[in-house]
Each structure stands twice: as C-alpha cells, then as structure tokens.
Amino acid sequence: MASTLSPLLAANTLTLSLYFGKNFTQLALLTGYHLCGVGVAGFLFVASARVWGKRHLYLLGNILLIVSSAWGGASGHSYKSLLWARILQGVALAPFEALVNASVGDLYFVHERGKRMALSNLALFGGAFFTPVIVGKITHTLGWQWTFYFIAIFSGVLLPFVILFVPETAYRRAAYLNTDFTGEGDHHPKRHLETGHELSTEGTLPHWHSLSASGNASFEKQPADMESRYLTDREPHRIAQKVSFAKSLLPFNGRKTDENFFKLLLRPVPLFLHPAILWGCLIQGTLIGWTVLIGVVLAAIFLGPPLFFDEVKIGYMYTGAFIGAILGFALAGLLSDWSTKLMIRRNKGVYEPEFRIVLVIAQLVFGCAGLYGFGITGNNVARYGWFLPDFFFALEVMGMVLGAVASALYIVDAHREIAVEAFTCLLIFKNMFSFGLTWSAYNWLLQA
C-alpha cells in the first residue's frame, strides 16, 4: 500500500488542475513535497530504527498512512490541505521505503538475498507503476477523492496483519554471530585472516600457524592481544529467552545498541561521501528521479493534441512501466544469485560483495535505451504514436529496477552494519533529486 502513494496523482493531472484551478507545476509539487516528506522523515527515522528496532516504525507508518489518506480524501477544495496530507503521506511511506531492504538483510543469509531483494523491489516499484493504471479508472468513475479513501480503507484492513505478523527483525547478537559483518570482532573458526596465515581452533584457544613455501605449518607465538580478543568474543554470552507471543506484539522490546541517539541521527550525513553509498545514490537515485520526471510529464504530453488522452488512458500508459518492473524483477532474480555463484566458482570459492555490481551492466543497456528512446518518441507523438513511448518507458523502468536491486544487494552484503543508514542516504538522495526534477519538469517541457 505504501508504494502506491508517490504515483497516486500521476493520472489525475488534468482533473485536479481543473478542480483546484492550479497549473501543472503546482500539481507536480503535490508529488514533489510528498517526496520531501519521505526524505526528511527517513533521515529522522534511521536513528530510531538503530536504537529501538524497526517494528515500531512499521506500525507508525501504517497508522499515519490511514490518517493521511483519509485527510487527503476529505481535503475538499483546499489545495493547502491536500498538500499537507501529501506531505504526511510521505512521512508514512518513509519507514517502508527505508527499512524493508535492511530487514531482508536481517532475515536472510547472503546466498538467499538476491531473489528476496528483487521481490521487495518488485513490490515497491510494481505497486508504484500499477497504481496509475487503476487510479485513472477510479477517478473517472468515482472521483479522485476515492483514490485516497481506498488507501485508507485497505491500510486499515492491513493494520491488524502488521501488528500480528510483522515481528522485530533486529537483535543484539554476539559479534562472532554476525558472520557477514567485518571488523575486529569477527572471529570465526577456519576463517582466513590474512594472506599466508590461517586460524586453527585446536584445543580451546586459537593458534597462529605460518604456512611455509612447502605447505608445512610451523608454530609461531600467539599474539597476546589476539588471544584476549578471542576470549572476549568467545566467552559465554547470555542467550536471550524467546519472548511470549503477547510480548512480541509490543512496538518496543529493548534497545538494539548502546550508541547515542543523536550521534546516530547525524551518522548518515558523512556517509554521503562513503564511496559505496555515493555509488548507490548515483546508480539508484538518478534513474528513479528520471522515472519520476517521466511520470510527471507523461500526462502533459498525451493530454493535448494530437492524441487527447483522458485520465483513464493516461493511467493505462503505465501498463508498460508495470510490465517493465515485472521483467526487471525477473531478470534481476535470475541474474543476481546465478552470476554471483558463477563468479564465486571462478574466484576459487571466495565470495566478494562486488560480485553484485555485475547487474549494472544490464541497467546500463535497458535504462539508457529507455531514456533516449522515450525522449525521442515522446517529443513527437504525432509521428510515433503512444506505443513506442510506452515501450521505452518499460525499458527505462527495467533498468531502474536492475539498478535498485544491484545497489541494495551490494550495500547489504558489503556494509550490513550500516545498512539502515546507507538506505537512508539513498532515500534522501533519490527523493530530493526527484523533488528538484518535479519543480522544473513542466518548465523544461514548455521550453522544449
């Protein structure tokens, strides 16, 4: 349901323009400020997710989704009221957009994440692009207010399921149990720590062995600091007892870290300069921004001559994008884990998170073809008609999904210890970038 919010008004541009007496840029800002709400709320929620877990934010997001959607439908002829309802919808969307990928990292092992990450992105993008298909018909039949009311109704129906069946996925574990984290605390039997050395676990303490050129192991003195660190990490930990079902329904079940809340609040800021996160922002955020731009100008291109589409036909134009999201999901699911396993075999059984980056090759092909093709055909619909722009829109969405899956998988596999902050950076970048594009979209279209 949350994924339906951003494109909710995509097919209603002309209807709302006449209803409120506003120009297309002001209507585009109903989506632009909504995206700002997502970005700002995501920045605030990340620290809360790190300290108290993710469950309370999923519950809060669902409740705000009900309230904001009911408010939007009841806003009447007040543009400002609808604008603030859209901003609150952005706040409601933030937990689902920022934390779902991190929850996949909590729940599944490295070799299991590819298809699950693709599925979560399908739910996000598939829902987003299928929404205008039905919104146009709802608006034409019942009125645009019911697009908000239906979200409030279905979100209310889903709330009990979220309460009962969405448990907390964040836990406080001993350092050595986080097998895909890296750092000094990651000591695990048989794990190779540096070239030419391996860690053996004969007896109760590890011993360093240096491998000679002939392959024979010669004993070396064990470093004292390594022994002490090993004892610290491997000493008996208190295993938390399973809580009752009633307690699992509480929104909070203790702190997940002892770090300061305000320190965690500011942590995403310097992470924008982290090479992996900056790469993820550019790979995922820019193409999502251009997808938002296409959605904003799509109605303006086809509402006028020579095609004169109404809101129903504008909604149907998103069928291509929805099909593109499905195909992107299928291709990402097939390629992500298969290509990773292939490269593991070629790398002598050693896994590297960078194997996930291979998906961006497919993103480059489909995404660029879609963007260039839509620009050329959309600029002359009298010659190319509606099919070719819709076809290239589908290709662009395929590339976007592939890039989103590639960046999400790489960040979760390589930096799961900061995955929540990393996805917050991606969320802020893509939503602020999209807001800037919606601000100028119609002016660019008029100038062209």
Side-chain angles (χ1 to χ4, degrees):
M1 291 307 299
S3 67
T4 66
L5 299 180
S6 296
L8 188 62
L9 306 180
N12 295 339
T13 303
L14 180 60
T15 302
L16 293 174
S17 177
L18 297 174
Y19 186 85
F20 289 106
K22 302 291 184 180
N23 59 41
F24 280 5
T25 297
Q26 290 172 305
L27 293 179
L29 290 178
L30 289 174
T31 299
Y33 282 114
H34 162 82
L35 297 175
C36 278
V38 179
V40 173
F43 178 77
L44 297 174
F45 288 161
V46 59
S48 183
R50 283 297 247 166
V51 175
W52 294 291
K54 304 175 181 70
R55 174 175 163 80
H56 71 284
L57 293 173
Y58 290 142
L59 295 174
L60 175 64
N62 200 316
I63 293 170
L64 290 180
L65 188 55
I66 298 170
V67 173
S68 60
S69 299
W71 178 5
S75 57
H77 284 272
S78 174
Y79 173 83
K80 288 185 177 179
S81 178
L82 181 59
L83 177 62
W84 281 106
R86 289 289 287 163
I87 293 172
L88 187 59
Q89 280 188 324
V91 176
L93 170 60
F96 301 99
E97 191 165 326
L99 302 176
V100 169
N101 285 332
S103 294
V104 172
D106 292 341
L107 291 170
Y108 298 102
F109 294 107
V110 171
H111 66 283
E112 298 175 326
R113 290 176 189 157
K115 294 182 179 64
R116 275 83 175 181
M117 196 72 75
L119 182 60
S120 68
N121 280 276
L122 172 66
L124 176 63
F125 297 122
F129 293 117
F130 188 68
T131 298
V133 176
I134 60 175
V135 162
K137 187 63 177 178
I138 292 173
T139 300
H140 184 75
T141 306
L142 301 174
W144 66 267
Q145 294 89 345
W146 274 96
T147 61
F148 287 87
Y149 289 145
F150 277 128
I151 292 177
I153 292 169
F154 288 121
S155 298
V157 171
L158 289 173
L159 180 59
F161 291 93
V162 175
I163 294 173
L164 295 174
F165 302 114
V166 181
E168 180 59 66
T169 61
Y171 297 92
R172 300 192 70 158
R173 300 179 177 89
Y176 69 91
L177 293 177
N178 288 312
T179 55
D180 56 348
F181 280 13
T182 57
E184 289 186 356
D186 186 16
H187 303 298
H188 192 277
K190 301 296 184 184
R191 179 179 178 88
H192 292 266
L193 297 180
E194 57 182 89
T195 304
H197 295 82
E198 65 177 352
L199 188 61
S200 171
T201 53
E202 298 175 0
T204 59
L205 294 176
H207 299 277
W208 283 95
H209 299 271
S210 176
L211 300 179
S212 63
S214 61
N216 298 321
S218 59
F219 179 78
E220 290 184 358
K221 184 178 180 180
Q222 179 179 317
D225 60 334
M226 176 57 69
E227 179 175 339
S228 63
R229 283 204 304 269
Y230 185 83
L231 281 170
T232 301
D233 281 343
R234 297 295 290 183
E235 65 185 359
H237 292 272
R238 295 183 60 186
I239 300 175
Q241 295 183 351
K242 184 178 180 180
V243 299
S244 65
F245 179 72
K247 285 188 177 181
S248 71
L249 298 180
L250 296 174
F252 302 94
N253 58 8
R255 291 178 66 97
K256 309 305 175 186
T257 179
D258 294 324
E259 293 187 77
N260 182 271
F261 174 84
F262 295 101
K263 178 182 177 181
L264 292 171
L265 184 67
L266 297 176
R267 180 178 286 178
V269 177
L271 287 180
F272 278 106
L273 300 178
H274 190 292
I277 296 174
L278 178 60
W279 170 84
C281 288
L282 295 175
I283 286 293
Q284 180 182 128
T286 51
L287 208 53
I288 289 176
W290 291 114
T291 306
V292 171
L293 177 70
I294 292 176
V296 167
V297 303
L298 193 67
I301 293 173
F302 290 97
L303 282 172
L307 299 179
F308 295 102
F309 279 11
D310 59 13
E311 63 267 19
V312 177
K313 292 181 179 178
I314 292 295
Y316 291 161
M317 286 294 294
Y318 283 83
T319 304
F322 176 70
I323 294 173
I326 296 290
L327 294 176
F329 154 73
L331 189 58
L334 290 172
L335 289 180
S336 59
D337 289 335
W338 173 81
S339 60
T340 300
K341 291 175 182 177
L342 175 64
M343 286 185 284
I344 288 174
R345 287 196 295 268
R346 294 180 63 87
N347 200 37
K348 299 179 180 179
V350 179
Y351 168 75
E352 299 288 349
E354 286 72 20
F355 295 163
R356 301 293 193 179
I357 299 177
V358 174
L359 282 178
V360 301
I361 299 174
Q363 180 199 19
L364 175 67
V365 174
F366 292 108
C368 291
L371 280 174
Y372 281 105
F374 182 86
I376 293 169
T377 57
N379 190 50
N380 192 354
V381 293
R383 176 182 177 183
Y384 296 106
W386 63 267
F387 177 77
L388 284 178
D390 205 28
F391 171 76
F392 286 114
F393 191 15
L395 292 184
E396 190 273 342
V397 171
M398 281 186 65
M400 183 195 68
V401 172
L402 288 164
V405 172
S407 58
L409 282 172
Y410 175 68
I411 287 173
V412 168
D413 287 357
H415 304 286
R416 191 165 74 84
E417 68 276 15
I418 56 170
V420 175
E421 291 87 348
F423 286 120
T424 301
C425 291
L426 267 63
L427 180 146
I428 294 171
F429 178 86
K430 70 184 180 184
N431 284 287
M432 293 306 177
F433 181 66
S434 300
F435 170 70
L437 292 177
T438 60
W439 187 280
S440 303
Y442 285 114
N443 293 330
W444 290 348
L445 192 62
L446 291 174
Q447 292 172 7

